[in-house]
Every structure is written in C-alpha cells, then in structure tokens.
Amino acid sequence: MNKIAALTAVGALGFGVATEAHAEADALRVAKQYGLGYIQLMIMEEEGLVEKHLQKAGMDDVTVEWATFRSSDVMNDALISGNIDFASLGPTGIVTIWERTKGSYDVKVAAGLNALPWILTVRDPSIKSITDFDDDDRIAVPAVKVSGQAAALQMAAAKQWGDDQFERLDHLTVSLSHPDATAAMLGGPSEIVANFTSPPYGHRQLKNPNIHAILTSGDVLGGLFSFNVIATTAAFREANPALYNAFLGALQEATDRVNADMAWAADMYLKISNDPTPKEEILEIMQDKEARFTTEPLNLGAFSDFMARTGRIKEAPEDWRAEMLFPEAQ
C-alpha cells in the first residue's frame, strides 16, 4: 500500500473523514524556507496539490496559505503561537520544540521531507579546516546556535576538540539567510569568510574558483539525515484530521512526482524560485548520493543525542521514532 492509500485507510479507521470537515478550520497555513530543500512544498503551492486533496475530502472552501521564513527558530515561535499549522523544520529545530512542548503543545514530526548535504564553504585560501579560523573571521549560518548548520559546526568542534569545547566556534557565527550569505560570499570585501549552507547555495558558491569547501554534514554525521521534516502540534492533528490527511496526501504526491521526473522537478524549482543556477547543476544536486527526497524521517537521533549530551535539551528520547514522530510518520 502506498502512503497516500495508507492515509486514506487511516481516515477510514476513524482519524478524520470528510463527513467531519464542517468542524475543522477554514484555513490551512503552511511555512517553508528558502532553497532546493523545500522543492516538494514549492510544487504543492504552485500546482495546488493541497487544494486538490482537500477537494477529494469535500473541503473546497478551505483556504491554503503559504509563508516563507528565514529559519527554524522563527517557525517554532509561529507554530506555538498558532500562526501556522505546518512548519518545515531542520533537525535541531524539531528536537528543540519537541522537547520544550512535551505534555503541552506536543509538537512532533508529521512527515519527513528530504535528505540533503550541508557544506561549509570558505573564501579565504589560508583556511583549510575549522582549526584555521581566527577571531576576526565570521561564519554565516541560518540562525546562530539553533539552526542545523550551527549544530553541525558544534558537532565538528566537539569532534575536533572534545565535547566540552562544542561551542568553541559559536562566537564567530552570524545569522544570515541563504541568499544573503551567498551574496556576501560572492560579493566584495566582507567580514563573512565562510558559510555553512544548503543546496543549491553551497554548490553555486563552489563554482567560484576563490571558494572551497572544508567540511560537509556527511563528514560530521557519517550518513544521511533529514535535512527537513514537517511538524505540527497534537492539537491541530486531533482537531483537523481531514486537513491533516489532505496535506500529507499532497506532500506524498509531490514527493512521488519529484522522484519520478527530476528533470521536470528541476524546471519547476527554477521557475518558482527564480534561482539563477543552471538546470544541470540543480539536477546534479538532486541526484547526489547524499540526497534523497522522502517522507521518511532520517537519523534525528544523532541530533537529539548530541543536544542532550551538550545540555541543549534536558534528555534525549529513548526511541526517537516512537517519541518524536506522530504515528503516520512512523
């Protein structure tokens, strides 16, 4: 049974059916971030896939609203305040909000989104590893301390100097969106000498002969991980089962379409984002061995374990799949 059929079966078993639609919200609000890592969400918005699945559920009158945020920390606030219903969070974002909302809002993973590599790019030829940064250098990340890239830099520091030194490079980090950080890396003189970034921005930067990579997420984590997951609150899931199922059905359809025809998906991404990256480079990223477009959550335990070990959260889950995921994501 494919996941869309499975979601239909879940609804038939009592987790939301179309006859209950009158009791649900009249708007569905979804947040994404910048870059190729949100390609399924971009396609869902552009192609009206959520509306399509809502129509199937007899919910033609529901409005679907989309917003784009800088990073997970901002999305966490919006999710808790009730300003959005589904957030696309990086691994540290979901671990943080899951731990802080246990027993209250109960934010958990509704679905995975993808696995994509992060790259630490540098434009100073004298910097060949993280040991070469000095106090005048600045490393751009989507959000200091809390973004996935910031955590990966901390993991690299812990690996290099020991767990008690995991924050050794934090004072060098500054918060910049991926587009702004890329502009700083490719522009004129700037305090920004490095950027821990995401596709396609890192790949675009590396086309410049003056920029090189000194670290990837694979070097730190040793394998694939969820670059992004989709999260929501237990209250929203329970109060809006038909909306919830329609959104997950649309997400699975978008994911299947990306995997079935990556050339089409690359064209869609370029059209929607106005990204100047050549199509062949986008396809190269999508077909990378460390890339995967999947609704299966991957390796969140590596982040929760590290964050517990370094005091970022009080306690890691004993079983991250059982504790951090809603049943549909398991």
Side-chain angles (χ1 to χ4, degrees), residues 92-154:
T92 54
I94 184 58
V95 171
T96 299
I97 197 170
W98 163 79
E99 197 252 359
R100 290 181 180 175
T101 63
K102 282 191 297 182
S104 56
Y105 294 97
D106 284 321
V107 175
K108 294 184 181 182
V109 177
L113 195 59
N114 48 50
L116 289 170
W118 295 325
I119 304 171
L120 180 55
T121 59
V122 175
R123 63 176 183 167
D124 182 338
S126 69
I127 300 174
K128 303 185 185 304
S129 78
I130 63 170
T131 62
D132 295 326
F133 288 115
D134 64 37
D135 285 342
D136 294 327
D137 296 325
R138 292 296 176 265
I139 306 166
V141 294
V144 298
K145 293 184 179 291
V146 298
S147 65
Q149 290 89 338
L153 188 63
Q154 291 177 336

Side-chain angles (χ1 to χ4, degrees), residues 29 43 98 101 122 167 201 234 287 295:
R29 300 157 302 172
I43 289 171
W98 163 79
T101 63
V122 175
E167 294 180 305
Y201 300 100
Q287 295 165 351
T295 54

Side-chain angles (χ1 to χ4, degrees), residues 4-330:
I4 294 176
L7 288 169
T8 303
V10 170
L13 288 172
F15 182 64
V17 292
T19 56
E20 297 176 353
H22 66 277
E24 300 193 24
D26 58 7
L28 181 64
R29 300 157 302 172
V30 187
K32 60 185 184 299
Q33 298 180 55
Y34 296 97
L36 185 61
Y38 308 90
I39 186 170
Q40 295 113 298
L41 300 179
M42 293 178 177
I43 289 171
M44 289 162 66
E45 181 180 10
E46 181 74 11
E47 298 284 282
L49 296 186
V50 179
E51 290 86 345
K52 170 185 170 182
H53 284 262
L54 287 168
Q55 276 190 328
K56 288 182 179 179
M59 304 181 74
D60 302 41
D61 57 342
V62 174
T63 301
V64 182
E65 302 171 3
W66 294 86
T68 303
F69 286 74
R70 168 180 58 80
S71 66
S72 291
D73 58 330
V74 185
M75 277 203 218
N76 281 348
D77 293 339
L79 191 61
I80 291 304
S81 65
N83 290 320
I84 57 174
D85 303 313
F86 285 104
S88 51
L89 302 179
T92 54
I94 184 58
V95 171
T96 299
I97 197 170
W98 163 79
E99 197 252 359
R100 290 181 180 175
T101 63
K102 282 191 297 182
S104 56
Y105 294 97
D106 284 321
V107 175
K108 294 184 181 182
V109 177
L113 195 59
N114 48 50
L116 289 170
W118 295 325
I119 304 171
L120 180 55
T121 59
V122 175
R123 63 176 183 167
D124 182 338
S126 69
I127 300 174
K128 303 185 185 304
S129 78
I130 63 170
T131 62
D132 295 326
F133 288 115
D134 64 37
D135 285 342
D136 294 327
D137 296 325
R138 292 296 176 265
I139 306 166
V141 294
V144 298
K145 293 184 179 291
V146 298
S147 65
Q149 290 89 338
L153 188 63
Q154 291 177 336
M155 291 180 183
K159 188 175 180 180
Q160 178 68 42
W161 294 295
D163 278 357
D164 62 336
Q165 296 290 308
F166 79 99
E167 294 180 305
R168 183 162 173 163
L169 300 174
D170 281 12
H171 68 290
L172 305 181
T173 60
V174 296
S175 296
L176 281 179
S177 69
H178 294 308
D180 288 343
T182 297
M185 290 290 288
L186 297 177
S190 166
E191 66 174 1
I192 305 300
V193 300
N195 180 204
F196 216 151
T197 188
S198 306
Y201 300 100
H203 293 73
R204 186 191 309 163
Q205 292 174 29
L206 290 173
K207 297 298 179 181
N208 186 312
N210 297 319
I211 295 177
H212 62 284
I214 63 170
L215 190 72
T216 71
S217 51
D219 298 328
V220 178
L221 295 164
L224 299 179
F225 68 99
S226 279
F227 173 86
N228 273 306
V229 297
I230 301 297
T232 191
T233 63
F236 176 81
R237 175 180 175 270
E238 292 165 7
N240 302 279
L243 287 177
Y244 184 91
N245 283 342
F247 177 83
L248 291 187
L251 174 61
Q252 189 60 51
E253 180 177 348
T255 302
D256 291 342
R257 290 175 70 174
V258 168
N259 287 311
D261 191 344
M262 287 195 177
W264 170 83
D267 283 333
M268 289 294 291
Y269 168 75
L270 292 170
K271 170 189 171 184
I272 298 165
S273 67
N274 294 315
D275 188 329
T277 305
K279 178 180 176 179
E280 59 269 20
E281 293 180 22
I282 297 295
L283 279 172
E284 180 185 342
I285 296 166
M286 295 176 70
Q287 295 165 351
D288 188 280
K289 64 181 180 179
E290 291 188 32
R292 185 180 299 170
F293 298 91
T294 176
T295 54
E296 176 189 0
L298 301 168
N299 204 20
L300 295 178
F303 291 89
S304 60
D305 288 348
F306 173 78
M307 292 169 72
R309 200 166 68 243
T310 54
R312 292 271 301 277
I313 61 174
K314 293 179 181 178
E315 187 177 14
E318 291 185 14
D319 181 340
W320 67 269
R321 288 185 176 276
E323 297 178 50
M324 293 180 62
L325 313 185
F326 286 121
E328 300 75 40
Q330 297 174 23

